Amino acid sequence: MSLPHAILTALLEKPSSGLELTRRFDRSIGYFWSATHQQIYRELGRLEADGLIRTLPAEQPARGQKKSYEVLAAGRAELARWTAAAQEPKPLRDALLLRLRAAAVVGTAGLEDDLRRHLVLHERQLAEYREIEERDFPPGRDSSQDRLRHLVLRAGIDLETFWTQWLGHALEEFTDLPDGT
């Protein structure tokens, strides 16, 4: 049930239209919790029906005008409840790891090239996160909100650092494997 909570978070940061939310997801929250345009709009309808958000009154009523939403007290309370609730860690489920395990019994054909492709993708993501860190978190930006947002970004940086290092080790192992494995 995290998509509604991601939307409540985004709307508490800044009341927005569905389109603005989609764009913000693409630039920030979407790095760790993705959602399609349709999912966001569907969830906005549910949140409004549940009394957690409301449509902001339009300054000038006009047909086809985009709706903007804000969080109501019940939505803030729900987000606070969810934030404080204990959750179990999720087990790692990654098809690449399963494919490596399968390669032990059926051979590694094609897998080394895909490991290299994954390495490039993770290196790009790591570079993007580091650019965001440099741009958005200069020295001295240490409000509580900035520190928590930076902590989320640091999780992304650390995760991508893990994957780039691990993929490097995996590719080293491939050079030592006998042919036909």
Side-chain angles (χ1 to χ4, degrees):
M1 291 302 283
S2 293
L3 179 57
H5 300 102
I7 291 172
L8 288 170
T9 299
L11 288 175
L12 278 169
E13 291 173 343
K14 180 182 177 192
S16 304
S17 69
L19 180 59
E20 290 165 340
L21 276 175
T22 300
R23 289 181 180 147
R24 288 173 57 210
F25 263 72
D26 289 344
R27 290 189 321 264
S28 62
I29 292 174
Y31 285 118
F32 56 91
W33 198 270
S34 62
T36 67
H37 188 77
Q38 293 83 6
Q39 289 171 317
I40 290 171
Y41 274 93
R42 192 170 36 246
E43 199 57 52
L44 284 169
R46 286 186 194 126
L47 290 167
E48 190 169 28
D50 290 346
L52 301 178
I53 65 171
R54 73 175 181 126
T55 304
L56 288 169
E59 291 177 16
Q60 296 177 347
R63 189 172 186 172
Q65 184 177 11
K66 65 181 177 182
K67 293 188 210 177
S68 288
Y69 300 89
E70 71 176 353
V71 177
L72 297 171
R76 180 179 284 278
E78 168 53 23
L79 187 59
R81 182 209 59 78
W82 179 78
T83 301
Q87 290 186 343
E88 296 303 313
K90 300 284 185 211
L92 177 62
R93 292 180 57 181
D94 191 287
L96 181 60
L97 299 177
L98 183 56
R99 290 172 54 217
L100 276 171
R101 180 73 182 250
V105 292
V106 297
T108 61
L111 198 49
E112 185 173 0
D113 288 342
D114 203 38
L115 288 171
R116 290 185 195 290
R117 185 179 70 82
H118 277 251
L119 178 58
V120 168
L121 294 172
H122 285 287
E123 286 171 337
R124 281 186 199 151
Q125 190 63 62
L126 178 57
E128 186 174 344
Y129 285 162
R130 286 186 172 147
E131 287 174 18
I132 292 169
E133 182 178 42
E134 188 175 312
R135 179 191 71 220
D136 294 350
F137 298 100
R141 218 175 144 186
D142 59 357
S143 69
S144 296
Q145 294 89 349
D146 286 333
R147 291 173 66 186
L148 291 171
R149 288 181 186 122
H150 193 196
L151 191 57
V152 172
L153 179 61
R154 283 297 323 165
I157 290 170
D158 291 348
L159 185 60
E160 294 303 328
T161 299
F162 160 77
W163 279 113
T164 57
Q165 290 174 348
W166 181 84
L167 286 159
H169 294 306
L171 287 164
E172 286 174 15
E173 288 294 324
F174 265 73
T175 62
D176 293 338
L177 292 175
D179 290 339
T181 301

